[in-house]
Amino acid sequence: MIDFVTIKEVKLKLGELCKSKRQSYDMSQEDLAEAIGLSRYTIQKFENGKNATLDTVLKIANHFALLKQLKKAIDKTIEDENNISLY
Amino acid sequence: MIDFVTIKEVKLKLGELCKSKRQSYDMSQEDLAEAIGLSRYTIQKFENGKNATLDTVLKIANHFALLKQLKKAIDKTIEDENNISLY
DNA sequence: TATAATTGTTTATTATAATACACAAAAATA
DNA sequence: TATTTTTGTGTATTATAATAAACAATTATA
């Protein structure tokens, strides 16, 4: 399995997720921006795969109730780190 | 289940994950910084839960081969969005 | 315990994300 | 089709993340 994932790809995916969630809530970019105290331009850029700050990403994730899921994933990754493979 | 997860918590968790991965590879902050072309100060701040850019986070994730896992998680979240609950 | 390595912290500077406008293009809707 | 809404894009300014360098405080190791 030789499928590389690039940083750019992930940024585009994150933007896609934001757009997908936002539309499911019937919100415009303006609505979302206002709801979480960011400018529409920041949302606009994020949804199109541009660089952003962690705070921006997490504010969006928080608004769409994704923080718990994210924390769990991080916890699991840390735990996996400690369990040395038995094989 | 009323367990809130805050943005600050997640940032601290991400820093913890970075430190955990880094140490498992027997790298110092300086080693990691050099390996991915960032300054040690940037790694230092990230590991201690400060704000960072998405690029910084993804460069670190990429170095520890976590991008594929991340992309999968995003894809799954997007898919879940489209599958309206059947219950 | 002395030495070396790593981490934490400070200051000044540079690069860039975020903001606030405005306006055009595109999409939705009346 | 006309009107409204939403999205995309540009420019200038502000806020702040990233860098670089030095030094103190810890932690590891000889």
Side-chain angles (χ1 to χ4, degrees), chain B:
Chain B
M1 262 221 296
I2 37 166
D3 53 328
F4 281 101
V5 177
T6 66
I7 289 175
K8 183 162 190 175
E9 259 182 275
V10 173
K11 284 193 288 189
L12 285 167
K13 273 286 169 194
L14 284 172
E16 189 184 324
L17 172 57
C18 179
K19 185 173 181 177
S20 165
K21 274 286 177 186
R22 175 174 64 77
Q23 290 178 333
S24 84
Y25 280 76
D26 241 318
M27 300 176 89
S28 66
Q29 292 177 345
E30 175 65 37
D31 292 336
L32 177 57
E34 193 178 332
I36 59 185
L38 293 176
S39 72
R40 182 172 72 84
Y41 191 46
T42 298
I43 303 294
Q44 164 71 16
K45 284 190 316 186
F46 178 63
E47 286 195 353
N48 286 298
K50 305 301 181 196
N51 196 12
T53 61
L54 195 49
D55 269 330
T56 291
V57 180
L58 296 182
K59 277 179 189 171
I60 294 170
N62 181 51
H63 188 265
F64 295 128
L66 295 171
L67 278 198
K68 201 161 97 183
Q69 170 184 335
L70 177 56
K71 179 170 171 291
K72 275 186 188 170
I74 299 170
D75 278 334
K76 190 176 178 312
T77 307
I78 294 175
E79 278 171 29
D80 289 351
E81 192 63 41
N82 302 332
N83 300 346
I84 297 102
S85 173
L86 298 172
Y87 298 89

Side-chain angles (χ1 to χ4, degrees), chain A:
Chain A
M1 264 222 294
I2 36 166
D3 53 329
F4 280 102
V5 178
T6 66
I7 289 175
K8 183 162 191 175
E9 259 183 276
V10 173
K11 284 194 287 189
L12 285 168
K13 274 285 170 196
L14 283 173
E16 189 184 324
L17 172 56
C18 178
K19 185 173 181 178
S20 165
K21 275 286 175 185
R22 174 174 64 76
Q23 291 179 331
S24 83
Y25 280 76
D26 241 318
M27 299 176 89
S28 67
Q29 292 177 345
E30 176 65 38
D31 291 335
L32 177 58
E34 192 177 333
I36 58 184
L38 292 176
S39 71
R40 181 173 71 86
Y41 194 45
T42 298
I43 303 295
Q44 165 71 15
K45 285 191 315 186
F46 179 63
E47 286 194 354
N48 287 297
K50 305 301 181 196
N51 196 13
T53 61
L54 195 48
D55 269 329
T56 291
V57 180
L58 296 182
K59 277 179 190 171
I60 294 170
N62 181 51
H63 187 267
F64 295 129
L66 295 171
L67 277 197
K68 202 161 98 181
Q69 169 185 337
L70 177 55
K71 179 171 171 291
K72 275 185 188 171
I74 300 170
D75 278 335
K76 190 175 177 312
T77 307
I78 294 175
E79 279 171 29
D80 290 351
E81 192 62 41
N82 302 331
N83 300 346
I84 296 103
S85 173
L86 299 172
Y87 299 88

